[in-house]
Amino acid sequence: MGTIVDAVRALYKGEGAAIPDRTLGEEAARIYGELAPTRHDVSATLIALGEILADRRRRLRESAAAPDRSKRPA
């Protein structure tokens, strides 16, 4: 779990985005759940983690490129 937390934190830092501790924990728990089926094969787990993080990076970049316009201006 620590490796996942570190990877998610590094992902957000690398993208210049902030992630609150609670959100970090929730995201790490989701990823851990996605990796559970591969837990007996370290190689498969690492490959799956890389794919999950690549997907999260893509979504983070898309979100940054098209900010949510549903928020009311201050």
Side-chain angles (χ1 to χ4, degrees):
M1 182 62 99
T3 299
I4 297 169
V5 169
D6 289 345
V8 172
R9 185 178 287 129
L11 168 68
Y12 273 75
K13 185 176 181 179
E15 294 300 316
I19 184 168
D21 290 340
R22 182 180 180 123
T23 305
L24 173 62
E26 291 168 347
E27 182 66 8
R30 276 191 292 276
I31 291 172
Y32 184 83
E34 291 178 42
L35 294 174
T38 66
R39 71 181 186 271
H40 297 295
D41 184 346
V42 175
S43 295
T45 300
L46 292 174
I47 291 168
L49 178 58
E51 292 171 350
I52 291 167
L53 291 173
D55 180 61
R56 298 303 197 273
R57 181 177 290 110
R58 179 190 54 78
R59 291 192 302 175
L60 188 59
R61 287 177 179 173
E62 287 174 357
S63 176
D68 185 8
R69 306 234 185 258
S70 65
K71 293 183 180 178
R72 297 173 61 192

